[in-house]
Amino acid sequence: MPFRLDKLLSLRQKEEEVLKNELSKIRSEISKVEEEIKKVELSRKETEEQLRTGNQSGAQVAFFIYLISMYNEHLNKLKLKLSRLKAQEEDTLRAYLEKRTERRSFEKLKERYIRNQALESDRKDRIVIDEVALQKYIRNQEGK
């Protein structure tokens, strides 16, 4: 008799795989955003260094100040995006771990089922073997 919960086990495995892929995509996106934050911070620092040299005209100073404020605004947006992605990562990770636990539970149930089926089959085989041996013994006793 086949394991009755095989379809549920298969479903849990697929759900777990989907969440695992989603988690991987989110982590990849987090890495990209973190890398972009580093690049923007580096550009901002370079612009601040150019501003500190003091060899610019008033228009250039105003432009550098404007550029630095734009870098800061962009950094704030990136950091907000990063915090959202990390929250999404936590939620997805939590869901993934739940699905993995469910899948493992179904796998353990299946293992127990298979073990019990094997024990039951072995018990039935022993009964048949004992019955055959008993009949052979009875024939040998009657033939004496």
Side-chain angles (χ1 to χ4, degrees), residues 122-135:
D122 187 49
R123 186 184 69 77
K124 288 178 181 178
D125 289 346
R126 287 176 193 247
I127 289 173
V128 170
I129 291 170
D130 289 347
E131 206 172 290
V132 168
L134 181 61
Q135 288 175 1

Side-chain angles (χ1 to χ4, degrees), residues 7-8 15 17-18 20-21 23 28 30 32 37 41 46 54 76 79 89-90 94-95 103 105 111 119 122 139 144:
K7 289 183 181 179
L8 282 175
E15 288 173 342
E17 192 62 33
V18 167
K20 186 177 180 181
N21 290 337
L23 189 59
S28 173
I30 286 173
K32 288 177 187 176
I37 286 173
E41 286 177 341
E46 289 173 358
N76 288 337
K79 288 178 181 179
E89 178 192 28
E90 287 177 19
R94 189 176 307 113
R103 177 191 51 84
S105 296
E111 288 172 9
L119 287 173
D122 187 49
R139 274 190 240 132
K144 284 188 182 181

